[in-house]
Amino acid sequence: DCQVLLNQMKEITGIQDSAFLLAALKAADGDLMEAVTFLTEDPAPEPVQSPAAAEPSTWEGSTVGKQLAQGELHLCSPLQLHVTVFISCDRPQDTHSAENKNRSKRKRCEVWGENPKQNDWRRAGDWPVGMKNIGNTCWFSAVIQSLFQLPEFRRLVLGYSLPQNVLESCRSHTGKRNIAFMQELQCLFALMLGTWRKFVDPSAALELLRDVFRSTEQPQQDVSEFTHKLLDWLEDAFQLTVNVTNPGDKSKNPMVQLFYGTFLTEGVHEGNTFSKIETFGQYPLQVNGYQNLNECLEGAMVEGEMDEATASQSVKYGQERWFTKLPPVLTFELSRFEFNQSLGQPEKIHTKLEFPQTIYMDRYLYCNKDLIQMKREEMKRLKEKMVTLQQKLERYMEYGSGPARFPLPDMLQYVLEFIATKPAVTVSSAQSSQTTLLHSQAKPHVLDVLSQPNGIQERSDTETEDEAFFVANPLLQQNSSMELQPPVSPAELSERPAPHVVSEEELNLVQTCLQRWRNEIEQDVQDLKQSIARINLSIKQMYCDPLLQQVPYRLHAVLVHEGQANAGHYWAFIYDQPRKRWLKYNDILVTESSWEELERESFGGLRNASAYCLMYISDQVSCAGADEDEGPEAGQFQKEVEALSPELKHYIQEDNWRLEQEAEEWDEEQSCKIPQMEPSPTSELQDLSSESGPEQSSVCEQSVRSLSSEHARIAKEQTAKAIANTADAYEKNGVEAALCEAFHEEYSRLYLLSKETPTPQNDARLQHVLIYFLQNNAPQQVVERTLLEQFADKNLSYDERSISIMKVARAKLSEIGPDDVDMEEYKKWHEDYSLFRKVSVYLLTGLELYQNRKYQESLTYLVYAYQSNTKLLLKGTNRGVSESLIALYRRKCLLKLNEVAASLFVSCEEAHVSEGVSILNELIIPCMHLMNNFEISKEDLDAIEVMRNRWCSYLGREDMD
């Protein structure tokens, strides 16, 4: 998907104008995060081209840059876009360098999703798989990945099954939808467990969800809203299994046991006490006004005035909440939205909120109520005492009655310096330097304030303005590390304020008093600071009691949102227990991460990114997961795959086979891109002469392959029409009757088409695989299984009837065993049909190139078509296309190319002569060798003689070098 980058920018910013987004990206020199900052900072200015970006760059010379300048945008290849952006991005950045170092940037692999290299489609060993974003679906990926990485949840989903009688008795639309979603989630989880792909496609499950979440006003879903709905659906689906043995008993529901807890609310309202127990799945927390998660929880648990006099009529409102039962998976929903009344729209709260890797829930449990209430009273008392002490300290550190206030110890020190200052005299250089140093370290302007009634010393020139500025800005005076002015010269030093007359007795008395007072005050300040520090420590350690650390919960996942209230992008940080590290799940990408990166992107306060949802798991669940995953994770995954139902194992196998086919087709597509890639014709034709077609290496490497699913996808529209025609049978007689009718009608239609004789203008075999099979008398078991797979294809439209028919077809497929169909023979028939289609593509491409007089490229395609077609015709006359047709145009093309090479040769220009000889050696002679076999036709033999005579006629010519 070449628009992965644009989609992420659209999600983050809410802007849908692709050209505008590209302009922002250009202004940011290809830096995604810089571009997002341009668009989302308040205010969000329209991107302006920076001086660096205005210079000629690789971006501007690229296709995208030219299209942008012309006001139009056409999709380009992912490779082109990748090279274009990151050549610009690699240029040195002079501006904002410090900011860019501190900003958390996405790695290139995080920006560019699906790489055009097919090796990058493949999963690396047992590495977790990503999830494809199919349009504003990052919220789905973040939630599902977090849940999938919970071993217990994964086990429940993959092991879900319903008795047949329950499935048949479920008539409600909601029940059917929940069962269908559960089955799709099973398939998705199975692929995430056993796929060979680097990422999976969640389209099927999302189709069911979008009917519920569909909204024209809200194109992107909120994580908490989706999680609520998801848990509701899963709870209902599992309740169907519970009802078999315990009708109506929700306490036996695995989803309730895993995600739901209870809390008790006690309080007073209008003077009346009340108490009630409630159930919760996700616990909501208000972020605004709090610095960390425990403060948030404390604020949510205690509201209003709650103390020993709760029942007093003077208390109008107040309540406390206590958890009475905590679920194994504890989810906190962080509310980061507030409604802006003036703008009439919601705004995101970007304030920082810290949360720990391990949180102890003892302090919120009802069983610890008495102890916690005592500690809360103690906490309240300590905080009140701290406020008192801080007020006392403030009186010392901001002393004075006017607008300018200063630390009292410093003021006494300044008075000491003043009284010790001598009247103006001529000073030596040594004294000057010493006094200058003292002046630079002291704060003379405070002294000026004290020595002048009006607060500003009357001085001349610019010094008077400087004095007034610093007096009016006391914060500048308090910063002792800031040099207020350059060191004064001896001449200026002589003008400093000093007592006119001070006797020795007065000097000693004042110095003694001021020094004693200063020492007393400094001791008072030190005592106050120590007392405040002790109280702070007591507050921090208030809940560090070992008795309150018996219920630890470890952070499992953090769901992060970047953007504004109405739009943005989600990703997840999930702790990988076997690897003992944090991983970042960002759509199709799964990369190693760290706690430091998680802090930067999740705490908030720095950028537009912050955590929206925190998922903690109990210590028992964490330890169980660690025990379960001991040893190599690949072995553990393999054990889970082996424990799956046969249907799910077959589903994984089918998808992996489909991946191999996609990889093979991609390889062949690349090998056929001769005009663009210009491979060596010699090597290609020499490979063919040794009977190795373009697909042979891939075929040899893959021991198992299924093309049937790919052929089902090709016939998807025809299959969908067959299902659409069964509406009456479906309504009257049910799913199986509808499938049976669609099966027979489609078979009859294809059988009639198979009786038509193929012509170059109309070959029905290209329309459907079964026409090819029927014309070549394929075994009936192969034909029937292939047709059944058409109706089991997961790519069909997901209305209720299609889903039902698809499920029944899949169930019937799973019942077909090795004794019923020879799978090796089945695979070979589909490989032959795949090769037949490729021969047709090679032939048509070769003919088009021939018409356009691109004889070198055309010959390569035609040779491939002839050689591959020969293999098919060895098995039957209807297995391939007309051999004489391919031979005719191969011969024509070869003669044309020979004329071109000969013309170049006789031109006597060195460059042309070399080119002509190269064509002769690398294309014409290898092709003649391929043609010259025991079954060569008279026409081909005559053509070879014509070409040979043409070149032999040049021997002995005196007019040629």
Side-chain angles (χ1 to χ4, degrees):
D1 186 356
C2 68
Q3 284 199 321
V4 170
L5 178 61
L6 287 178
N7 289 341
Q8 288 194 352
M9 290 185 68
K10 288 177 182 178
E11 288 176 329
I12 295 171
T13 63
I15 300 171
Q16 301 302 312
D17 187 339
S18 298
F20 183 70
L21 294 175
L22 278 171
L25 194 63
K26 178 182 176 184
D29 286 334
D31 188 327
L32 175 64
M33 304 312 296
E34 186 79 18
V36 170
T37 302
F38 289 161
L39 298 168
T40 58
E41 280 187 344
D42 188 21
E46 185 173 334
V48 179
Q49 195 173 20
S50 65
E55 299 172 1
S57 65
T58 309
W59 175 280
E60 292 180 353
S62 69
T63 305
V64 177
K66 291 176 182 177
Q67 290 172 343
L68 187 60
Q70 296 168 0
E72 62 178 353
L73 175 67
H74 301 290
L75 295 182
C76 57
S77 70
L79 180 61
Q80 178 187 0
L81 196 57
H82 175 89
V83 173
T84 299
V85 173
F86 281 107
I87 286 178
S88 297
C89 189
D90 285 341
R91 293 186 304 168
Q93 300 291 317
D94 296 328
T95 59
H96 310 297
S97 58
E99 182 182 357
N100 288 340
K101 287 180 182 178
N102 296 327
R103 180 183 293 115
S104 173
K105 292 185 179 180
R106 295 182 185 171
K107 304 179 182 70
R108 292 186 186 182
C109 64
E110 293 178 307
V111 174
W112 297 105
E114 300 177 46
N115 196 295
K117 296 180 181 179
Q118 66 101 352
N119 286 335
D120 292 336
W121 305 346
R122 296 183 182 276
R123 184 178 188 174
D126 59 334
W127 192 254
V129 298
M131 195 170 294
K132 186 177 181 180
N133 187 332
I134 57 176
N136 290 335
T137 60
C138 50
W139 47 274
F140 180 87
S141 173
V143 174
I144 293 299
Q145 290 279 23
S146 302
L147 294 174
F148 175 80
Q149 295 302 327
L150 291 169
E152 178 63 16
F153 182 81
R154 188 167 68 238
R155 183 186 66 81
L156 288 170
V157 170
L158 291 172
Y160 179 83
S161 64
L162 282 175
Q164 189 62 32
N165 63 328
V166 176
L167 285 171
E168 294 173 354
S169 63
C170 184
R171 298 296 180 186
S172 69
H173 173 74
T174 302
K176 290 180 179 180
R177 179 204 62 200
N178 292 345
I179 293 172
F181 176 75
M182 194 69 204
Q183 291 170 337
E184 289 301 339
L185 192 61
Q186 271 189 320
C187 293
L188 182 62
F189 272 28
L191 284 184
M192 294 170 73
L193 201 62
T195 185
W196 295 343
R197 299 178 187 271
K198 190 175 182 179
F199 55 90
V200 295
D201 186 343
S203 301
L206 278 165
E207 281 299 320
L208 294 171
L209 286 170
R210 282 183 166 173
D211 290 337
V212 177
F213 287 106
R214 200 178 303 276
S215 169
T216 56
E217 298 179 359
Q218 188 179 5
Q220 186 179 49
Q221 303 307 321
D222 180 66
V223 156
S224 53
E225 178 191 0
F226 167 60
T227 308
H228 278 300
K229 186 65 66 178
L230 175 66
L231 292 181
D232 287 345
W233 284 22
L234 294 177
E235 180 187 347
D236 292 344
F238 274 95
Q239 192 62 40
L240 293 175
T241 65
V242 174
N243 289 341
V244 175
T245 54
N246 299 280
D249 187 357
K250 286 199 171 186
S251 65
K252 302 293 184 182
N253 191 310
M255 290 295 108
V256 173
Q257 293 173 348
L258 190 60
F259 291 102
Y260 289 87
T262 57
F263 62 87
L264 172 69
T265 304
E266 297 179 328
V268 58
H269 184 74
E270 296 295 336
N272 299 317
T273 59
F274 66 90
S275 176
K276 60 180 178 179
I277 294 181
E278 299 175 71
T279 302
F280 71 94
Q282 289 179 279
Y283 201 81
L285 295 175
Q286 291 293 331
V287 171
N288 209 8
Y290 300 107
Q291 295 181 346
N292 58 62
L293 181 60
N294 274 313
E295 287 185 8
C296 269
L297 268 170
E298 191 74 21
M301 304 303 275
V302 181
E303 296 181 20
E305 295 290 335
M306 287 296 297
D307 51 29
E308 298 297 330
T310 297
S312 170
Q313 293 297 320
S314 60
V315 179
K316 297 296 183 183
Y317 173 79
Q319 65 179 27
E320 286 182 345
R321 294 188 181 92
W322 301 94
F323 291 118
T324 53
K325 177 179 174 290
L326 289 173
V329 180
L330 181 58
T331 306
F332 294 117
E333 173 190 317
L334 304 183
S335 177
R336 282 190 169 271
F337 291 122
E338 60 182 2
F339 192 80
N340 189 317
Q341 297 289 347
S342 60
L343 297 178
Q345 63 183 21
E347 285 186 342
K348 185 177 176 182
I349 301 171
H350 295 295
T351 55
K352 184 176 182 179
L353 182 80
E354 299 179 357
F355 45 85
Q357 296 193 58
T358 300
I359 185 171
Y360 295 95
M361 297 300 295
D362 307 71
R363 61 189 282 191
Y364 310 109
L365 295 178
Y366 183 73
C367 60
N368 297 321
K369 174 183 174 181
D370 295 338
L371 177 60
I372 299 304
Q373 284 183 335
M374 289 173 53
K375 287 187 174 292
R376 284 176 179 168
E377 286 298 319
E378 178 65 12
M379 180 79 79
K380 181 180 178 182
R381 185 186 65 80
L382 289 174
K383 287 184 176 180
E384 289 174 351
K385 185 175 180 181
M386 174 163 316
V387 171
T388 303
L389 293 176
Q390 286 175 334
Q391 289 174 347
K392 287 183 179 179
L393 181 61
E394 188 176 342
R395 295 190 191 104
Y396 282 111
M397 303 313 292
E398 297 184 11
Y399 187 82
S401 57
R405 296 168 182 268
F406 308 95
L408 183 54
D410 291 350
M411 296 179 71
L412 294 175
Q413 177 63 31
Y414 300 153
V415 175
L416 277 171
E417 293 172 3
F418 169 76
I419 198 124
T421 304
K422 302 297 183 182
V425 294
T426 304
V427 295
S428 65
S429 60
Q431 291 174 327
S432 172
S433 62
Q434 182 179 0
T435 311
T436 300
L437 178 61
L438 177 65
H439 175 81
S440 66
Q441 295 175 344
K443 300 177 181 177
H445 301 297
V446 181
L447 182 60
D448 295 345
V449 174
L450 297 174
S451 61
Q452 292 293 335
N454 60 358
I456 301 178
Q457 186 182 16
E458 296 179 2
R459 295 173 65 177
S460 62
D461 303 327
T462 59
E463 289 183 354
T464 303
E465 296 177 8
D466 293 342
E467 294 288 328
F469 172 77
F470 284 110
V471 170
N473 294 271
L475 290 177
L476 294 177
Q477 301 177 33
Q478 294 176 24
N479 189 351
S480 60
S481 64
M482 184 182 296
E483 187 174 272
L484 300 182
Q485 61 185 35
V488 294
S489 64
E492 291 172 329
L493 184 63
S494 63
E495 298 180 3
R496 291 187 56 184
H500 289 203
V501 178
V502 178
S503 67
E504 194 70 24
E505 182 179 355
E506 290 174 331
L507 181 60
N508 290 336
L509 176 62
V510 173
Q511 283 183 332
T512 301
C513 292
L514 289 177
Q515 190 63 49
R516 185 178 75 249
W517 296 338
R518 183 171 179 271
N519 291 340
E520 291 173 354
I521 292 170
E522 285 182 341
Q523 185 62 47
D524 290 346
V525 169
Q526 184 178 354
D527 292 344
L528 285 170
K529 288 181 177 179
Q530 289 177 350
S531 297
I532 292 173
R534 284 195 298 270
I535 293 176
N536 260 326
L537 183 62
S538 298
I539 291 175
K540 288 181 180 179
Q541 297 179 346
M542 180 63 67
Y543 296 100
C544 293
D545 189 333
L547 294 174
L548 297 178
Q549 294 183 342
Q550 304 301 309
V551 188
Y553 271 73
R554 181 182 62 78
L555 186 61
H556 165 69
V558 180
L559 278 62
V560 182
H561 176 268
E562 181 175 34
Q564 301 301 325
N566 58 348
H569 179 62
Y570 287 100
W571 64 88
F573 290 97
I574 304 174
Y575 188 75
D576 192 291
Q577 185 68 31
R579 294 180 174 84
K580 306 296 183 186
R581 69 185 64 166
W582 286 95
L583 300 182
K584 183 177 181 180
Y585 292 75
N586 190 354
D587 287 341
I588 66 173
L589 299 163
V590 181
T591 54
E592 285 190 18
S593 187
S594 64
W595 177 251
E596 290 70 27
E597 182 181 9
L598 187 153
E599 283 183 335
R600 287 195 302 270
E601 298 190 4
S602 304
F603 282 6
L606 297 176
R607 302 185 297 148
N608 292 339
S610 53
Y612 264 36
C613 183
L614 306 176
M615 193 176 292
Y616 283 86
I617 58 177
S618 66
D619 196 47
Q620 290 81 2
V621 173
S622 175
C623 293
D627 294 340
E628 181 179 322
D629 289 335
E630 281 184 0
E633 189 174 15
Q636 175 60 32
F637 276 179
Q638 187 59 36
K639 289 178 184 177
E640 292 191 47
V641 171
E642 291 172 358
L644 295 175
S645 65
E647 182 182 12
L648 289 177
K649 283 194 285 189
H650 181 72
Y651 183 74
I652 295 172
Q653 188 180 41
E654 287 284 341
D655 188 75
N656 288 337
W657 285 345
R658 194 177 301 116
L659 171 65
E660 297 305 336
Q661 176 60 20
E662 291 170 5
E664 180 188 1
E665 291 179 353
W666 188 91
D667 283 336
E668 297 209 10
E669 181 183 338
Q670 299 304 308
S671 68
C672 289
K673 290 183 178 179
I674 299 173
Q676 293 82 5
M677 301 179 66
E678 297 182 359
S680 170
T682 303
S683 61
E684 291 181 7
L685 294 181
Q686 287 173 350
D687 288 344
L688 282 171
S689 65
S690 61
E691 298 185 353
S692 61
E695 75 284 356
Q696 183 171 343
S697 60
S698 295
V699 172
C700 294
E701 290 172 3
Q702 308 304 334
S703 59
V704 181
R705 167 123 359 103
S706 173
L707 301 173
S708 56
S709 297
E710 178 65 20
H711 297 154
R713 186 188 63 79
I714 294 171
K716 182 178 69 172
E717 292 184 6
Q718 300 173 49
T719 309
K721 289 179 181 178
I723 292 176
N725 294 333
T726 64
D728 292 340
Y730 178 81
E731 295 296 334
K732 294 177 181 178
N733 303 315
V735 181
E736 293 225 13
L739 174 60
C740 185
E741 180 178 319
F743 185 94
H744 289 293
E745 286 189 5
E746 184 69 357
Y747 183 89
S748 300
R749 184 183 72 84
L750 296 173
Y751 182 80
L752 292 175
L753 287 173
S754 70
K755 296 304 179 182
E756 298 179 1
T757 303
T759 65
Q761 292 78 21
N762 182 22
D763 192 340
R765 293 175 296 176
L766 292 171
Q767 296 180 26
H768 203 288
V769 61
L770 284 183
I771 299 177
Y772 181 86
F773 286 0
L774 291 169
Q775 285 193 358
N776 289 284
N777 300 317
Q780 189 66 19
Q781 296 91 335
V782 172
V783 173
E784 290 178 356
R785 179 183 171 88
T786 299
L787 185 54
L788 189 58
E789 285 203 37
Q790 313 291 309
F791 294 98
D793 180 24
K794 72 181 187 67
N795 294 300
L796 295 171
S797 60
Y798 280 85
D799 57 15
E800 185 177 353
R801 183 168 65 254
S802 296
I803 292 173
S804 302
I805 291 177
M806 177 186 66
K807 297 301 182 185
V808 173
R810 285 186 183 179
K812 291 186 177 297
L813 276 176
S814 65
E815 296 171 1
I816 301 176
D819 297 334
D820 301 316
V821 178
D822 184 345
M823 293 305 293
E824 190 63 30
E825 182 182 32
Y826 183 79
K827 182 184 74 169
K828 288 180 180 177
W829 274 99
H830 281 278
E831 286 176 347
D832 284 352
Y833 182 67
S834 178
L835 185 57
F836 166 74
R837 291 181 62 86
K838 289 168 189 171
V839 167
S840 301
V841 172
Y842 294 157
L843 174 59
L844 292 172
T845 307
L847 292 176
E848 182 180 3
L849 291 169
Y850 177 80
Q851 290 293 101
N852 294 329
R853 299 182 180 180
K854 296 180 179 180
Y855 302 122
Q856 294 186 54
E857 297 88 346
S858 173
L859 182 63
T860 304
Y861 277 99
L862 293 172
V863 168
Y864 273 143
Y866 188 92
Q867 295 299 115
S868 300
N869 193 58
T870 300
K871 296 177 185 178
L872 291 173
L873 294 179
L874 291 175
K875 300 179 182 181
T877 56
N878 287 329
R879 291 289 186 106
V881 300
S882 171
E883 185 177 41
S884 59
L885 179 66
I886 305 177
L888 170 65
Y889 280 96
R890 181 184 63 172
R891 185 168 58 250
K892 285 187 172 185
C893 185
L894 188 58
L895 289 170
K896 290 284 188 183
L897 187 59
N898 190 69
E899 291 179 7
V900 171
S903 299
L904 291 170
F905 185 76
V906 300
S907 67
C908 295
E909 295 182 14
E910 184 175 352
H912 289 169
V913 171
S914 297
E915 185 180 356
V917 172
S918 176
I919 293 173
L920 175 67
N921 288 330
E922 295 179 359
L923 281 175
I924 297 174
I925 292 177
C927 187
M928 290 166 64
H929 278 297
L930 289 173
M931 295 166 62
N932 194 11
N933 54 42
F934 293 111
E935 299 179 0
I936 185 171
S937 65
K938 183 180 183 303
E939 293 82 1
D940 283 349
L941 191 58
D942 291 342
I944 289 175
E945 285 302 316
V946 168
M947 290 185 287
R948 184 158 29 217
N949 291 336
R950 177 73 176 266
W951 288 97
C952 289
S953 68
Y954 298 144
L955 294 175
R957 283 184 53 171
E958 297 180 357
D959 59 336
M960 297 179 67
D961 185 353

